[in-house]
Amino acid sequence: MVKIFVDPGHGGSDPGATGTGLAEKDVTLKIATRIRDMLEDEYENATVKMSRTGDQTVSLEERTDMANAWGADFYLAVHINSGGGTGYEDYIHDLLSNNSRTAEIQRTIHKEVIKLNDLIDRGIKKANYHVLRESNMDAMLSENGFIDNTNDLAKMKDPDWINNVARGHVNGLAKALNLHKLTKTTKTTTKTASDSKKALQRPASSSSSYTKESTDSKKKTLFLPASADSWRIYPLNKDPIKKNALPDQLRPSKYGGLQYEILGETWPNVYIIQTKQLGKVQIYAGPETGAEIK
Ligand SMILES: [Zn+2]
């Protein structure tokens, strides 16, 4: 797993730079949240922790302490610029050489962001910022437009722009950190190659016919009966066996039964569902469990 720490700049009592009707802290949170969602939803070997997920005040020390304690592989700080300019730039720590791994990652991310963000390219830069200096891992800070520039500000108010900026960062991170897309094809390949296949008794049928089944099951719904107190669930990136079960279980009896849209089938009777609390997870719901699929 590649651990990516995403740090939306400012927050809470610190709004950061401000423009007409917009504060930096809100734009950085939107971009960072999209980055997290894309990484977690689309990549099988990426895991994300954020310095804040709401409008909280978090000091710079707290941010780097959090990333260091977690043992992040990469630190991405997302900011918005101000002070009478326009365009995009990004920073790594100023003591790093152009041959450093961090500089290489910066160039890769920079290239991908510039493709999609519709901003003037102000180049790759270095600075002695706290988050770049005090973080123990490769770290980069991006400055996504100037909030005091009318043109840049208009873009920041557009959800499509937020999405494109996030997508650029994600594409760059994926290339630089060798993230693998979570697709049915790669999942099938991975599982087929893994030893745990034996334990799970995947049917002898070809993987291609199996992929088709997964596609067909997309519109189906999974019902967990109220008679069940708890139901084990598994993270997407692990085989659905007992030792990999998440500490949190679903509680059908508590809610008078639970219902989820089925997003895919990874193993026979093992489905991908979207939960409110835990995001996408795998669940075993064979006929003998009392679960209903409609
Ligand atoms: Zn800032």
Side-chain angles (χ1 to χ4, degrees):
M1 272 299 184
V2 181
K3 295 162 101 173
I4 302 165
F5 190 81
V6 181
D7 175 19
H10 313 278
S13 60
D14 167 21
T18 49
T20 312
L22 208 57
E24 177 182 358
K25 65 174 182 179
D26 298 318
V27 186
T28 60
L29 182 61
K30 280 185 195 162
I31 296 171
T33 306
R34 286 299 295 136
I35 291 173
R36 179 201 60 195
D37 291 348
M38 288 174 183
L39 287 171
E40 291 196 335
D41 290 350
E42 300 170 18
Y43 292 88
E44 61 179 4
N45 61 335
T47 178
V48 175
K49 193 177 179 71
M50 289 175 72
S51 58
R52 63 181 178 100
T53 53
D55 188 21
Q56 301 110 321
T57 308
V58 187
S59 73
L60 292 175
E61 287 76 15
E62 284 170 323
R63 291 171 200 247
T64 45
D65 283 353
M66 229 184 279
N68 293 341
W70 187 46
D73 297 303
F74 190 75
Y75 191 114
L76 175 68
V78 177
H79 283 255
I80 301 295
N81 225 329
S82 70
T86 178
Y88 170 84
E89 62 197 21
D90 44 49
Y91 293 85
I92 58 170
H93 191 251
D94 59 4
L95 291 179
L96 290 163
S97 94
N98 293 339
N99 300 321
S100 64
R101 196 168 73 120
T102 315
E104 197 184 316
I105 296 173
Q106 179 187 26
R107 287 191 293 271
T108 305
I109 297 175
H110 184 96
K111 214 169 125 187
E112 294 301 320
V113 173
I114 278 297
K115 279 185 197 168
L116 296 178
N117 71 356
D118 195 26
L119 291 172
I120 288 165
D121 186 354
R122 299 169 61 88
I124 54 173
K125 301 187 175 184
K126 293 177 187 175
N128 184 24
Y129 293 145
H130 174 97
V131 297
L132 302 177
R133 186 183 62 245
E134 303 299 329
S135 48
N136 295 339
M137 63 294 307
D138 295 317
M140 194 194 94
L141 181 148
S142 66
E143 292 277 6
N144 300 275
F146 283 67
I147 205 164
D148 53 355
N149 174 281
T150 319
N151 289 327
D152 290 7
L153 175 68
K155 288 176 181 153
M156 289 167 202
K157 292 177 175 171
D158 177 1
D160 287 342
W161 182 84
I162 300 285
N163 210 54
N164 288 339
V165 169
R167 179 61 67 192
H169 283 79
V170 167
N171 288 349
L173 288 165
K175 274 193 180 165
L177 305 176
N178 196 21
L179 305 180
H180 309 302
K181 273 260 176 188
L182 182 72
T183 64
K184 291 200 179 70
T185 318
T186 55
K187 273 186 87 77
T188 306
T189 313
T190 312
K191 301 278 183 179
T192 307
S194 88
D195 287 337
S196 55
K197 180 191 167 200
K198 289 161 206 151
L200 275 152
Q201 299 294 323
R202 181 184 275 282
S205 63
S206 78
S207 59
S208 62
S209 72
Y210 206 72
T211 307
K212 191 173 173 291
E213 255 181 57
S214 307
T215 314
D216 292 345
S217 65
K218 254 189 178 169
K219 286 165 202 150
K220 289 183 186 164
T221 306
L222 171 69
F223 295 94
L224 304 179
S227 55
D229 281 337
S230 62
W231 212 289
R232 224 176 260 139
I233 45 176
Y234 310 88
L236 283 190
N237 55 321
K238 299 236 175 84
D239 291 329
I241 50 176
K242 198 173 172 183
K243 75 175 171 83
N244 290 335
L246 288 163
D248 294 296
Q249 301 195 342
L250 301 178
R251 304 273 170 206
S253 60
K254 192 175 163 188
Y255 299 99
L258 288 167
Q259 176 177 333
Y260 300 94
E261 188 187 350
I262 294 175
L263 304 172
E265 189 176 4
T266 52
W267 296 90
N269 303 316
V270 176
Y271 303 98
I272 300 173
I273 56 167
Q274 174 86 44
T275 63
K276 271 205 189 94
Q277 307 297 332
L278 303 156
K280 281 182 194 161
V281 295
Q282 296 183 98
I283 183 166
Y284 175 76
E288 78 284 7
T289 62
E292 271 184 77
I293 288 145
K294 283 179 184 164

